[in-house]
Structure formats: structure tokens, C-alpha cells
Amino acid sequence: MKVTYNYKRVFQHPITLYRIGDVRLPYGIALLRVTVAGIILGIMFLFRDVVNAVGSIMSGLTLVLYIGIPYLLSGFLLKKSFNGKRIHYFMYDFIRYFFGWYLPKKRLANDEEVLYSNTKAITFEKTIILRKEGNAHATSNSDQDRTQQSDAYEKRGNLGVLPNLSERHSSRELRKVRES
């Protein structure tokens, strides 16, 4: 009997750096954690006035902030999953969606892009219908009002289809209708 092996743990194991150039590290550092910490450090440099203001409260705290926050925050972000994905896969998909679909305002229908959705919608102009009314030689039974009215309930009894039950009839009248 063949035994299958689950490679999930092997493929999820991060790329680990044990040596940088000629320098040998005492323990391995995950490349993904270094990358995420570098991005966080870059964001902190963009807002360095705020970080320096917090660090100036106590002397020597600035260096701890610039090293500790990226290290701890990168560890937290790598353990957390976003929509069932790790942070780097989620950010890659989010950036593709944001710049590929959201900003261009593309529309989808049945998982396909709707073409020509940016064109102006078709509008219909109101048309005026001019009707000639009947002249003096028109027949007298023509309907000048041009509104259709239903008279099915009035003629139903005369057609012999069904009795008009909307009105109250005595049981004798109903028997006569049924027998005829």
C-alpha cells in the first residue's frame, strides 16, 4: 500500500538566511520577515517626525522604536492571515485588484469584464404622436376615447361559459344555470 506524503509544511517553510555575504549569522532569519520589517521601517521613515517626537520623550528610545516596532510588527503580521492568505499573497492580490479593477472602474458580469461600459448610456427622446381625429363621415360607433375597457364579467353569463358568481344568486337560480 502506497503512503502519500503531505508537502504542505515543506512548501510553507520560509526562505531562511543563515549567511549574508561573508558574515555568518548565529541563527537564521526569514527573508519574508526581513522584507516586511524593511517595508515597515520605510513607512516609519516617512513619518519620522512623529516617531522622533515619541522617541524624544525618553533619551535612547528612538533607536528602540526604529528596531523594535518593525521586528515585532513583522512577526505579528506574518502569523496573521488575511482572507485565508498570508500577508504577502494578500497584498499582491490587493494591489492587482486596486490598480487593475478598482481605480479604472471596470465592471464585471459573470466573472468577465463588461466591455463598453464607460460609454454614455442610450437615451430615448420623447416623441409626440399626432392623431387625426375622425371627421364628419366617420361611423358613429367608433371609440373616440381610445381607452380599452374590459367587459368580460358583464358578457360572461350571456356567452354561456360560466355563471357570474360575483353577484348573489339564490340556489334555485344557480340550479337553473347549471341545468341549462
Side-chain angles (χ1 to χ4, degrees):
M1 181 173 168
K2 288 187 177 182
V3 178
T4 57
Y5 185 74
N6 188 1
Y7 290 100
K8 182 179 179 183
R9 289 184 63 202
V10 174
F11 288 125
Q12 284 186 345
H13 189 72
I15 299 171
T16 307
L17 301 175
Y18 294 101
R19 178 182 293 188
I20 300 175
D22 292 335
V23 179
R24 186 173 173 90
L25 300 173
Y27 56 91
I29 299 175
L31 181 63
L32 186 59
R33 187 163 186 175
V34 171
T35 306
V36 172
I39 292 170
I40 294 170
L41 186 63
I43 293 171
M44 288 177 67
F45 276 131
L46 288 175
F47 299 104
R48 65 179 166 263
D49 295 335
V50 176
V51 175
N52 290 337
V54 172
S56 66
I57 295 172
M58 297 179 70
S59 62
L61 187 62
T62 306
L63 184 62
V64 172
L65 287 176
Y66 278 114
I67 293 173
I69 288 178
Y71 179 76
L72 295 174
L73 196 58
S74 65
F76 172 75
L77 289 176
L78 289 176
K79 287 180 184 175
K80 190 166 174 55
S81 70
F82 303 91
N83 290 344
K85 302 175 184 176
R86 296 184 70 180
I87 184 74
H88 55 288
Y89 293 125
F90 174 77
M91 289 305 295
Y92 175 73
D93 289 342
F94 178 75
I95 289 169
R96 277 186 51 206
Y97 163 75
F98 189 76
F99 290 110
W101 295 95
Y102 185 76
L103 284 182
K105 295 183 180 177
K106 293 181 181 178
R107 296 185 179 146
L108 294 173
N110 296 327
D111 293 334
E112 293 180 6
E113 180 183 357
V114 177
L115 299 176
Y116 310 112
S117 63
N118 296 334
T119 59
K120 194 172 185 179
I122 298 172
T123 56
F124 296 99
E125 297 176 0
K126 289 186 178 180
T127 57
I128 300 172
I129 300 173
L130 298 175
R131 293 185 184 164
K132 275 189 176 179
E133 296 297 328
N135 57 14
H137 301 294
T139 58
S140 61
N141 63 352
S142 64
D143 186 11
Q144 297 294 327
D145 189 20
R146 287 190 169 79
T147 57
Q148 185 176 1
Q149 295 178 353
S150 174
D151 56 350
Y153 291 111
E154 296 173 6
K155 294 182 179 179
R156 185 169 51 184
N158 297 337
L159 295 175
V161 178
L162 290 172
N164 189 359
L165 299 177
S166 61
E167 301 172 3
R168 295 202 170 215
H169 295 287
S170 66
S171 59
R172 282 186 194 165
E173 292 175 358
L174 289 176
R175 269 189 241 134
K176 287 180 188 177
V177 171
R178 288 182 188 152
E179 290 172 359
S180 61

